Amino acid sequence: DIQLTQSPSCLSASVGDRVTITCRASQGISSYLAWYQQKQGKAPKLLIYTVSTLQSGVPSRFSGSGSGTEFTLTISSLEPEDFATYYCQQLKSYPLTFGGGTKVEIK
Amino acid sequence: EVQLVESGGGMVQPGGSLRLSCAASGFTFSTYWMTWVRQAPGKGLEWVGNIKHDGSEKYYVDSVKGRFTISRDNAKNSLYLQMNSLRAEDTAVYYCARYLVRGYGDDFDIWGQGTMVTVSS
């Protein structure tokens, strides 16, 4: 199974901060990496697919990068509505797996 | 509007069964893979299983193999999750989602609101 390790598991940031979340895969996953945002009590929402492609309607302050086994999600300037938990996911091989999540809290 | 709506959750005793449904609308259901994902209280996301658009292929996480069965009725635009031999550790919110197979990087692009399953005596 491919394990995904997200870091940090939690971070405190202020509105306007640049935030970077890392996702490391236990083996290469090519471009089969997606990022989701989940707000408390709500369903996850797709933000980015194929490592760096922004889903329609997602603000351009979100970006993804990486290759092989190391990937990052960056929020260039944090907005109040961005406080949430973020998950990476690999869809390279079964079982499909998610990272443990990164909770972005208000500082 | 593209939408997925789950139903069928509730409380069940250990060893019991439950069938979840997911009603799709706003897209051509019969041409998409579909998936179930669950989230235990206070925990992260766990993929449960997938089904191909025509039902000919199904994949499951090891922890539910032999107990859970995914099926679909394309004529009714509906996805199902039959859960048997339920355990306390199956307690979670269950989400259905559309599995977009792009071929060069897939994703779950549309999600339902989720339905809660509680396994407890």
Side-chain angles (χ1 to χ4, degrees), chain A residues 1 30-34 36 38 41-46 48-50 55 87 89 91 94-100, chain B residues 33 35 37 39 43-47 50 59-62 95 99 102-109 111-114:
Chain A
D1 297 4
S30 185
S31 59
Y32 290 80
L33 191 284
Y36 301 86
Q38 186 180 33
K42 300 294 186 182
K45 170 189 170 184
L46 176 66
I48 289 171
Y49 59 93
T50 59
Q55 173 70 341
Y87 295 92
Q89 181 199 25
L91 301 102
Y94 289 111
L96 306 184
T97 48
F98 291 90
Chain B
W33 284 71
T35 191
V37 175
Q39 186 170 36
K43 302 297 184 181
L45 302 171
E46 180 183 38
W47 170 76
N50 282 352
Y59 301 90
Y60 301 93
V61 68
D62 280 351
Y95 297 99
Y99 179 20
R102 303 176 190 271
Y104 53 89
D106 311 331
D107 52 78
F108 298 169
D109 69 331
W111 295 67
Q113 85 288 352

Side-chain angles (χ1 to χ4, degrees), chain A residues 14-46:
Chain A
S14 302
V15 171
D17 284 353
R18 181 182 181 88
V19 167
T20 299
I21 299 168
T22 298
C23 177
R24 289 187 175 87
S26 59
Q27 56 188 272
I29 56 173
S30 185
S31 59
Y32 290 80
L33 191 284
W35 289 95
Y36 301 86
Q37 177 193 66
Q38 186 180 33
K39 296 184 179 179
Q40 188 66 35
K42 300 294 186 182
K45 170 189 170 184
L46 176 66

Side-chain angles (χ1 to χ4, degrees), chain B residues 8-12 18 20 36-46 48 64 68 81 83 86-95 113-120:
Chain B
M11 182 174 286
V12 62
L18 209 56
L20 306 184
W36 288 97
V37 175
R38 67 183 178 182
Q39 186 170 36
K43 302 297 184 181
L45 302 171
E46 180 183 38
V48 173
V64 309
F68 289 13
L81 181 65
M83 303 184 294
L86 282 161
R87 307 166 180 165
E89 55 264 35
D90 296 318
T91 294
V93 174
Y94 285 75
Y95 297 99
Q113 85 288 352
T115 187
M116 182 71 204
V117 172
T118 303
V119 184
S120 173

Side-chain angles (χ1 to χ4, degrees), chain A residues 66-103:
Chain A
S67 63
T69 61
E70 187 153 336
F71 304 90
T72 59
L73 171 70
T74 300
I75 309 172
S76 60
S77 180
L78 208 57
E79 293 289 338
E81 60 267 30
D82 301 335
F83 291 96
T85 301
Y86 294 85
Y87 295 92
C88 58
Q89 181 199 25
Q90 68 82 18
L91 301 102
K92 175 65 174 174
S93 66
Y94 289 111
L96 306 184
T97 48
F98 291 90
T102 296
K103 187 173 184 179

Side-chain angles (χ1 to χ4, degrees), chain B residues 18 40 48 53 84-85 97:
Chain B
L18 209 56
V48 173
H53 52 80
N84 299 330
S85 304

